[in-house]
Amino acid sequence: RLILLSRTLSGLVDMIVVVLIAGAFIIAADYFAGIVTLDQVSMAYFLVLLLLIHYLYSVFFLSSSNQTIGMMITDLRLVGLDARRPSVGRIVLRSSLYLLSVAGLGLGLIAGLFSRECRCFHDSSSGTGIVRNTAG
């Protein structure tokens, strides 16, 4: 169960990175467009940009190194059910399902508390899992 704590910390680090990136894009876009007020339309654009950046961030890092920045810090990595590197298709599916897990009031994430292997909805549905890196 300790891996759930590492996964939570990893997710928080990843969210901070994504919010900083999206915030920089929004500030730059607002500056160059001359927007000085933050209204509901701007907030909707920010949310869409945030989701898109998180999705691309996850797919890029997981397909290139099986780890996001948060997972690198917490010494975790993504594997397929056969403990090998998952295909890019599985990573794309997992990243999509992760957004659904979060959007559904986090119920997909809470599923990890009740799984023997600590696998969340997006893990079990995409045939992937998170494991701790081993030395060597």
Side-chain angles (χ1 to χ4, degrees), residues 83-94:
R84 296 168 67 175
R85 184 182 190 104
S87 68
V88 173
R90 287 207 184 273
I91 291 170
V92 167
L93 176 62
R94 181 185 189 278

Side-chain angles (χ1 to χ4, degrees), residues 10-55:
S10 169
L12 290 173
V13 169
D14 291 334
M15 185 53 67
I16 290 169
V17 170
V18 169
V19 167
L20 289 174
I21 293 169
F25 277 115
I26 291 293
I27 289 170
D30 285 354
Y31 176 77
F32 289 114
I35 298 172
V36 293
T37 60
L38 186 63
D39 58 0
Q40 290 180 341
V41 174
S42 296
M43 289 301 290
Y45 286 146
F46 180 72
L47 180 61
V48 169
L49 183 63
L50 188 68
L51 293 174
L52 180 63
I53 289 173
H54 192 283
Y55 179 77

Side-chain angles (χ1 to χ4, degrees), residues 56-77:
L56 294 174
Y57 168 87
S58 296
V59 170
F60 173 77
F61 276 102
L62 292 175
S63 61
S64 62
S65 66
N66 287 6
Q67 296 176 299
T68 61
I69 293 172
M71 293 168 81
M72 290 174 195
I73 291 170
T74 56
D75 207 27
L76 300 174
R77 69 183 165 90

Side-chain angles (χ1 to χ4, degrees), residues 69-128:
I69 293 172
M71 293 168 81
M72 290 174 195
I73 291 170
T74 56
D75 207 27
L76 300 174
R77 69 183 165 90
L78 180 71
V79 295
L81 292 182
D82 57 358
R84 296 168 67 175
R85 184 182 190 104
S87 68
V88 173
R90 287 207 184 273
I91 291 170
V92 167
L93 176 62
R94 181 185 189 278
S95 297
S96 301
L97 293 173
Y98 174 79
L99 293 178
L100 288 176
S101 291
V102 173
L105 301 175
L107 294 177
L109 302 176
I110 294 171
L113 294 172
F114 304 103
S115 166
R116 180 179 299 203
E117 300 86 20
C118 299
R119 293 174 61 214
C120 299
F121 167 75
H122 52 281
D123 296 319
S124 57
S125 297
S126 65
T128 61

